[in-house]
């Protein structure tokens, strides 16, 4: 017996042992190799395959599909080496870098890609590139499973135009032009919004400035009027004070004159001077009173006019507000009335609908109960008839007779027949047989029978005449006249 040899596979290798003691193929990472056994090292590392598949869409438009597939033996499930056994049987004897495996993989990929592309339009392929790639991946993997190969990675690049058929180039130009046109539209739209916004801001600025100028003018005019009023008041007070001072000066001069004239002047001169002084004083006071009256009249007139204007303005505003409030209340009342009418109509409709539903439900319930009662009666009658039929040994004639007797059918038939002949006066004729009621025996002659028939005819014809009023034909005979 030979000495076994211990063999260990590398990290990216697998040992395929065949021979003595092994039914088919044994896959191991390490193994004692016995005599009459053979060991083959399987390289299970994946290899990259680059292709440029040419396919054609449903519109007969050709295109290139550049792709890079990373393919190798399937060893993902260490407990199940079924795929690796297929690879060892079918592909292991061939170098993975050889054209044989590359042509095999390329053939599968090209075939599935062309079949799939032929069933899709170019637009579907271009827009659904991800789904198209996944579909190609699934189809190719399904075919490679029978060789024990697995696609570890698939990188499908961008679709490329075939020379002379620049579909994707024109499609890119179309997209670029659409984006450029959309950008122009967006710029124009933004410019329009900017110009409109600038005009709006300018208009608002001018409106606010005009409003502020008007308010400023009103305030300035109001302040000027108040200033003029104050100036007039001060001037009036100054003039009054000056007149008072002048009066005092005149009075002092008069006193001084009187003192100069001496106390020797007569009382008349003093009286005249006093009167003149009084008149002067009265004139001054009257002038002051008139000024006060004029100022008071002016202020009163202004106050009256201003208050009248304010009152008229308030009255107009109150009237407008009252009219607006009245119209609003009228509209609210009309709306409330319409709503209430609609709610009343809806309530009446709901009540009528509910009443009809209750009526229909009650009728339905009555019909259901009536049907249930009929069904119960029918069921009871069925049981009753079944028991009767069983007791009568299934004699249907006896059952019918019993039911007719039990239900009084025969009595009812007799009553109906009696009512039918009630009031009738039938005429009943009785005659004996052809032999006159005497039997001749069986040995009688046939002539006796004929004679008996002839003897029966007169009473028969007489009976027909009495019952129906019909006379026999003349050739048969005539009836005797009973009136003679």
């Amino acid at each position: 017996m030979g000495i076994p040899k211990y063999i260990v596979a590398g990290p990216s290798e697998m040992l395929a042992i065949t021979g003595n003691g092994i039914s088919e193929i044994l896959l191991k990472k390490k193994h004692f190799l016995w005599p009459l056994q053979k060991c083959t090292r399987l390289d299970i590392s994946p290899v990259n395959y680059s292709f440029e598949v040419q396919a054609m869409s449903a519109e007969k438009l050709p295109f290139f599909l550049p792709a890079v597939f990373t393919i190798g033996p399937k060893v993902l499930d260490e407990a199940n080496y079924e795929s690796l056994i297929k690879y060892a049987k079918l592909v292991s004897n061939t170098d993975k870098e050889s054209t044989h495996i590359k042509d095999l993989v390329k053939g599968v990929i090209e075939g599935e890609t062309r079949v799939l592309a032929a069933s899709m339009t170019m637009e579907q392929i271009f827009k659904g590139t991800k789904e198209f790639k996944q579909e190609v991946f699934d189809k190719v993997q399904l075919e490679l499973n029978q060789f024990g190969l697995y696609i570890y990675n698939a990188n499908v690049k961008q679709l490329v135009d075939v020379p002379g058929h620049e579909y994707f180039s024109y499609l890119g130009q179309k997209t670029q032009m659409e984006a450029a046109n959309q950008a122009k539209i967006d710029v124009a739209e933004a410019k329009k919004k900017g110009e409109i916004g600038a005009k709006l801001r300018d208009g608002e600025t001018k409106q606010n400035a005009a409003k502020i100028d008007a308010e400023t003018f009103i305030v300035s005019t109001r302040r000027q009027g108040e200033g003029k009023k104050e100036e007039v008041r001060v001037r009036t007070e100054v003039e009054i004070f000056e007149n008072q001072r002048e009066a005092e000066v005149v009075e002092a001069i008069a006193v001084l004159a009187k003192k100069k004239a001496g106390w020797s002047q007569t009382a008349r001169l003093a009286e005249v001077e006093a009167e003149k002084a009084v008149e002067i004083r009265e004139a001054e006071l009257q002038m002051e009173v008139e000024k006060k009256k004029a100022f008071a009249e002016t202020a009163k007139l202004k106050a009256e006019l201003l208050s009248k204007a304010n009152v008229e303005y308030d009255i107009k505003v109150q009237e407008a507000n009252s009219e607006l409030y009245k119209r609003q209340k009228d509209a609210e009342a009309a709306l409330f009335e319409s709503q209430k009418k609609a709610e009343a109509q809806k309530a009446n409709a709901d009540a009528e609908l509910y009443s009809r539903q209750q009526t229909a439900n009650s009728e339905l319930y009555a019909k259901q109960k009536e049907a249930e009662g009929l069904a119960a009666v029918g069921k009871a009658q069925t049981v009753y008839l079944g028991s009767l039929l069983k007791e009568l040994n299934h004699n249907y004639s006896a059952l019918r007779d019993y039911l007719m007797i039990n239900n009084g059918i025969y009595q009812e038939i007799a009553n109906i027949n009696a009512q039918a002949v009630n009031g009738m006066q039938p005429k009943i004729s009785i005659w004996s047989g052809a032999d006159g009621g005497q039997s001749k025996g069986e040995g009688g002659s046939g002539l006796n029978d004929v004679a008996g028939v002839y003897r029966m005819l007169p009473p028969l014809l007489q009976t027909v005449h009495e019952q129906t009023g019909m006379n026999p034909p003349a050739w048969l005979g005539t009836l005797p006249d009973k009136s003679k």
Side-chain angles (χ1 to χ4, degrees), residues 211-249:
K211 181 179 179 181
I212 293 172
D213 291 340
E215 293 176 354
T216 304
F217 177 75
I218 292 171
V219 173
S220 177
T221 303
R222 187 180 298 168
R223 294 295 174 81
Q224 289 178 1
E226 293 176 355
K228 288 182 179 180
K229 289 180 182 180
E230 187 67 23
E231 183 180 357
V232 170
R233 185 181 66 79
V234 172
R235 286 180 181 178
T236 303
E237 291 178 355
V238 170
E239 288 178 358
I240 293 172
F241 180 75
E242 289 179 351
N243 291 332
Q244 289 177 354
R245 297 305 297 172
E246 288 178 358
E248 292 176 356
V249 170

Side-chain angles (χ1 to χ4, degrees), residues 320-368:
N321 291 335
S322 176
E323 184 67 23
L324 177 60
Y325 180 76
K326 182 180 180 182
R327 291 181 180 179
Q328 289 178 350
K329 290 301 180 181
D330 292 340
E332 291 177 358
L335 178 60
F336 181 76
E337 184 177 0
S338 300
Q339 290 177 350
K340 290 301 181 181
K341 287 182 178 179
E343 291 177 358
Q345 292 176 357
K346 182 179 179 182
N348 292 332
D350 292 340
E352 184 176 358
L353 177 60
Y354 179 76
S355 177
R356 291 182 178 179
Q357 287 179 348
Q358 293 300 320
T359 303
N361 291 334
S362 62
E363 292 178 356
L364 177 61
Y365 181 76
K367 295 292 183 181
Q368 289 177 349

Side-chain angles (χ1 to χ4, degrees), residues 386-399:
S387 62
L388 287 177
L389 188 61
K390 183 177 179 181
E391 293 295 330
L392 295 173
N393 295 324
H394 298 279
N395 188 341
Y396 291 97
S397 298
L399 177 63

